[in-house]
Amino acid sequence: MNCIAIRKEASDHSEMVSQMLFGETFQVLAEEGSWIKIHLDYDFYEGWVDKKQIIELSQEVYQRIEKHKVHFSNEMVTFISNNKEHLQILSLGAVLPEYNKGLFRLNDLTYEFDGDTITGKRPKSDLVNTAYKFLNAPFLWGGRTPFGVDCSGFTQMVYKINGYQLFRDAHQQASQGEVLSFIEECEPGDLAFFDNEEGEIVHTGIMLDNNYIIHCHGKVRIDRIDSSGIYNVDTQRHTHKLRVMKQLF
């Protein structure tokens, strides 16, 4: 599947806390009926997924995938087909296991992929180019794709696609990187974090040139930012209070 819901509890009615994209790997922590609790290899996030939606890998295949250079789909959305003539939709940031010259494998299935791929650590300027691909994506709590994304899912995926590791939630991401004292020190691609009245970090976005920021608030959008926080260009008021700015590399 393109992506599946990771839920807080072992139930379809439970809150979706994140999503797992095609090709991402995990460890199984527990089982409860038709549900398994997982620990994601990339960001160590934990939650429950429906067993019907995942593919079990042998230890040999898993180790081979983990050793292989990671390739991501750099297409907003594309179709792939496998040797059993099944079509599959992939979205931006999907992992292509053991990718080589237009083909990748998953157990006994071989897939053809003729789209643009991205691999390795990319220049910092590429972060902004990737961020623009999510522009106008609707807000979805727990989302990580252009079909629906939350604020920290957006920043995490932009960094992940470009070869850099971010934790899943905004308050976790705020523990990474080096603090920047002034907005003037920020470069495009740096992160800004925002807190609520209790001082809890609840929002994040990616800095752009000339005191602009791209972030997910209702949708992925571009607004102004100053020393007070985010200034919404549509409502002409501040919507988020600036807490800290971080440079990861």
Side-chain angles (χ1 to χ4, degrees), residues 113-140:
F113 181 85
D114 60 3
D116 185 33
T117 65
I118 190 168
T119 188
K121 290 191 174 182
R122 312 300 297 171
K124 192 173 184 178
S125 58
D126 283 12
L127 290 170
V128 173
N129 296 331
T130 302
Y132 282 141
K133 290 189 173 186
F134 284 86
L135 197 60
N136 293 317
F139 175 83
L140 175 65

Side-chain angles (χ1 to χ4, degrees), residues 26-197:
F26 59 89
Q27 307 293 318
V28 176
L29 299 178
E31 294 192 33
E32 187 175 309
S34 63
W35 293 82
I36 58 172
K37 188 174 185 180
I38 66 167
H39 175 95
L40 281 169
D41 291 331
Y42 172 71
D43 60 11
F44 320 122
Y45 213 68
E46 295 182 1
W48 292 85
V49 298
D50 189 328
K51 282 195 288 190
K52 297 189 297 293
Q53 297 180 309
I54 58 97
I55 297 174
E56 185 175 349
L57 303 177
S58 68
Q59 190 68 22
E60 177 187 356
V61 171
Y62 174 79
Q63 290 177 347
R64 204 167 62 225
I65 289 173
E66 291 299 292
K67 291 177 181 178
H68 201 275
K69 191 175 184 180
V70 179
H71 288 76
F72 300 103
S73 169
N74 201 28
E75 302 285 348
M76 286 291 291
V77 62
T78 187
F79 284 97
I80 57 173
S81 60
N82 61 36
N83 53 324
K84 293 187 178 180
E85 298 184 351
H86 294 160
L87 282 178
Q88 169 78 52
I89 298 175
L90 293 188
S91 63
L92 182 64
V95 179
L96 312 176
E98 300 186 76
Y99 177 84
N100 184 35
K101 297 179 180 179
L103 299 174
F104 67 91
R105 293 187 295 172
L106 202 54
N107 285 341
D108 62 339
L109 297 175
T110 300
Y111 292 87
E112 295 182 9
F113 181 85
D114 60 3
D116 185 33
T117 65
I118 190 168
T119 188
K121 290 191 174 182
R122 312 300 297 171
K124 192 173 184 178
S125 58
D126 283 12
L127 290 170
V128 173
N129 296 331
T130 302
Y132 282 141
K133 290 189 173 186
F134 284 86
L135 197 60
N136 293 317
F139 175 83
L140 175 65
W141 182 263
R144 295 174 70 223
T145 79
F147 299 105
V149 67
D150 62 22
C151 68
S152 56
F154 165 62
T155 53
Q156 185 196 52
M157 287 305 299
V158 169
Y159 268 73
K160 180 179 183 181
I161 291 167
N162 286 284
Y164 297 90
Q165 186 175 22
L166 276 185
F167 294 130
R168 177 60 180 88
D169 294 334
H171 70 278
Q172 297 172 317
Q173 295 175 9
S175 68
Q176 300 176 255
E178 301 295 326
V179 174
L180 298 169
S181 300
F182 305 100
I183 289 180
E184 291 72 23
E185 292 182 314
C186 287
E187 299 174 348
D190 289 336
L191 296 172
F193 296 92
F194 307 85
D195 60 13
N196 59 17
E197 294 180 354

